[in-house]
Amino acid sequence: LAKTTQPISMDSYEGQEVNITCSHNNIATNDYITWYQQFPSQGPRFIIQGYKTKVTNEVASLFIPADRKSSTLSLPRVSLSDTAVYYCLVGDFDSSASKIIFGSGTRLSIRP
Amino acid sequence: GAVVSQHPSRVICKSGTSVKIECRSLDFQATTMFWYRQFPKQSLMLMATSNEGSKATYEQGVEKDKFLINHASLTLSTLTVTSAHPEDSSFYICSARESGDQPQHFGDGTRLSIL
């Protein structure tokens, strides 16, 4: 199982771009990278998933270098409502035997 | 998008009671469902992985007789906490995944409080 390492916490201000980097040095060939957002007393919410290069959707971008040993979640123009814990996960999501382990996550605090 | 419904959202009950939590995938068929437990200010801890029609696979340290999991259909999995005690109080979260390269989608969790 690939283990992930993220910063424990980050602070930023409204309107800024926030980049959260995750290290996954032991990522396997079949592993995808997925990011989730969690608010207190709620289940995690899917943000974005990728395998390599760059993926973009309506809320975020995911940058993955060629060696895939890290990834960066980019949140453009954050607002106060983006204050949450962000989790980076890696795993072979295509395998019914694959189990998904959560790391410690990054607690992002956005200030006015 | 994919929706996972978890019920109930909150349970308060006396010690010794058994509690059942339901997890349903509303708009997709979930080949695999997962059950997690989360303590305050901590990350999610995987308890078990459940594949439809087969027995659940429990993580090390999770008592299978204490936490009964049933995944009888492609849209429903249940977790029953048997003879719950105060130390079982926690936030329980399920997730479901459709077959293929699809991500997990999570329910909104169940806050279990044992008095």
Side-chain angles (χ1 to χ4, degrees):
Chain A
L1 294 174
K3 184 176 180 180
T4 60
T5 303
Q6 304 173 231
I8 298 289
S9 63
M10 293 180 67
D11 296 322
S12 189
Y13 293 91
E14 281 191 295
Q16 299 294 306
E17 177 184 81
V18 172
N19 297 308
I20 306 174
T21 297
C22 178
S23 296
H24 27 81
N25 292 317
N26 298 321
I27 190 168
T29 303
N30 294 333
D31 286 343
Y32 285 82
I33 300 158
T34 309
W35 285 79
Y36 288 87
Q37 174 192 57
Q38 186 182 29
F39 297 112
S41 297
Q42 293 185 25
R45 185 173 72 95
F46 171 79
I47 302 174
I48 198 166
Q49 179 175 299
Y51 183 80
K52 62 180 178 180
T53 63
K54 177 183 175 182
V55 180
T56 298
N57 62 21
E58 61 275 11
V59 297
S61 294
L62 178 60
F63 298 92
I64 306 169
D67 65 4
R68 303 200 328 121
K69 293 184 182 298
S70 67
S71 59
T72 299
L73 174 72
S74 181
L75 304 173
R77 297 181 298 281
V78 293
S79 64
L80 294 176
S81 62
D82 292 316
T83 294
V85 178
Y86 291 82
Y87 293 98
C88 160
L89 279 69
V90 295
D92 182 359
F93 298 96
D94 196 29
S95 168
S96 62
S98 174
K99 56 184 180 182
I100 313 303
I101 306 297
F102 277 74
S104 59
T106 297
R107 190 171 296 275
L108 177 64
S109 298
I110 306 299
R111 302 176 181 178
Chain B
V3 178
V4 175
S5 174
Q6 189 172 338
H7 178 80
S9 59
R10 178 101 193 229
V11 179
I12 303 172
C13 57
K14 294 180 179 179
S15 184
T17 306
S18 291
V19 178
K20 179 184 283 189
I21 303 170
E22 290 189 350
C23 180
R24 294 180 184 272
S25 56
L26 297 186
D27 51 0
F28 66 99
Q29 294 188 323
T31 305
T32 308
M33 288 185 169
F34 303 86
W35 287 95
Y36 293 84
R37 183 174 180 175
Q38 187 175 32
F39 293 105
K41 302 290 186 183
Q42 294 187 22
S43 184
L44 284 76
M45 292 169 38
L46 180 65
M47 299 175 66
T49 302
S50 168
N51 290 300
E52 186 266 339
S54 60
K55 291 184 178 181
T57 302
Y58 290 81
E59 293 300 299
Q60 190 174 6
V62 178
E63 300 176 57
K64 61 181 180 181
D65 294 330
K66 173 77 172 177
F67 300 99
L68 301 178
I69 293 172
N70 183 280
H71 191 165
S73 76
L74 285 172
T75 59
L76 173 64
S77 177
T78 60
L79 167 68
T80 301
V81 184
T82 61
S83 187
H85 292 286
E87 59 266 28
D88 298 321
S89 298
S90 189
F91 191 52
Y92 292 86
I93 310 171
C94 74
S95 70
R97 187 182 71 199
E98 196 172 6
S99 61
D101 59 344
Q102 299 297 312
Q104 294 181 91
H105 294 280
F106 288 81
D108 271 338
T110 298
R111 175 79 56 194
L112 177 62
S113 300
I114 308 299
L115 305 177

